[in-house]
Amino acid sequence: MKDLLVIAISAAIVNNVVLSQFLGICPFLGVSKKTDTALGMGLAVTFVIGISSIVCGVIYHFILIPLNLEYLQTIVFILVIACLVQFVEMFLKKSVPALYNALGVYLPLITTNCAVLGVALNNVQYDYNILEGFVYGVCTALGFLIAIVIMASIREKMEYNNIPRPFQGTAIVLVTAGLMSIAFFGFSGII
């Protein structure tokens, strides 16, 4: 239980996927304009990473390893992630059309979100079993959710600020992301 707690805190805060590993930057910067949209994207990514951690772990441990096909892990993981993203996209289109429209092109981009594939590959690299991989995946996704919602909240507040012309637009967003990364770096001594 203690090991799972260490994995959880490490994945969500200390080694935040966006702010310390720099994975998933595209949706982090692209979808973080409004808090509602950022929350929806974070929840969609959390679902995809959580389920893909389990499915990829089962396939890796019970199919690829016994058949000595470990070299196919990246291709298999990409296929699993693509299928899960299609499922999420169909579900949101039917159940929550407003969120589906708000996420726009960024929803299919979850397939190419390097954070999702990075979690599956890290589970193999860290030699996590299926439960540890699931905890790592969900907590990594929660770390992504925390980072994207904080960024969206800051960006919403920045709309009302008088920002110098050279820093307007993408520049201030990148400066903000850098400052957030420095703030999260302060957690590195915890674990």
Side-chain angles (χ1 to χ4, degrees):
M1 188 65 176
K2 178 181 155 189
D3 292 337
L4 293 178
L5 184 62
V6 169
I7 290 171
I9 292 171
S10 174
I13 297 174
V14 177
N15 296 318
N16 187 284
V17 69
V18 176
L19 300 173
S20 66
Q21 296 180 24
F22 305 111
L23 297 174
I25 296 290
C26 179
F28 175 70
L29 297 176
V31 184
S32 63
K33 293 178 183 170
K34 299 288 180 200
T35 307
D36 296 340
T37 309
L39 182 63
M41 174 59 98
L43 292 173
V45 168
T46 301
F47 176 78
V48 170
I49 288 179
I51 300 299
S52 70
S53 294
I54 293 172
V55 174
C56 291
V58 167
I59 290 172
Y60 183 77
H61 288 290
F62 296 111
I63 296 174
L64 296 180
I65 289 178
L67 297 176
N68 291 324
L69 298 173
E70 293 94 343
Y71 60 91
L72 293 176
Q73 70 185 7
T74 305
I75 295 170
V76 171
F77 294 169
I78 290 172
L79 290 173
V80 167
I81 291 165
C83 291
L84 287 171
V85 169
Q86 285 301 112
F87 172 73
V88 169
E89 188 173 1
M90 290 186 304
F91 174 77
L92 288 179
K93 188 174 185 178
K94 184 171 176 113
S95 302
V96 192
L99 180 59
Y100 174 79
N101 291 330
L103 291 175
V105 71
Y106 292 102
L107 188 57
L109 286 178
I110 294 175
T111 304
T112 59
N113 184 343
C114 53
V116 181
L117 181 59
V119 167
L121 294 174
N122 280 345
N123 284 340
V124 171
Q125 181 182 359
Y126 299 152
D127 198 29
Y128 287 152
N129 61 36
I130 296 170
L131 176 62
E132 291 171 336
F134 175 71
V135 169
Y136 175 76
V138 168
C139 291
T140 298
L142 290 176
F144 177 82
L145 175 69
I146 291 167
I148 197 169
V149 168
I150 290 173
M151 175 61 97
S153 300
I154 292 171
R155 286 180 77 173
E156 283 181 352
K157 298 292 183 193
M158 282 192 308
E159 287 182 22
Y160 303 109
N161 293 334
N162 190 10
I163 298 170
R165 188 166 179 82
F167 287 104
Q168 291 178 355
T170 306
I172 194 67
V173 174
L174 293 175
V175 168
T176 303
L179 292 172
M180 286 176 60
S181 181
I182 291 170
F184 271 72
F185 184 69
F187 294 115
S188 63
I190 292 175
I191 295 178

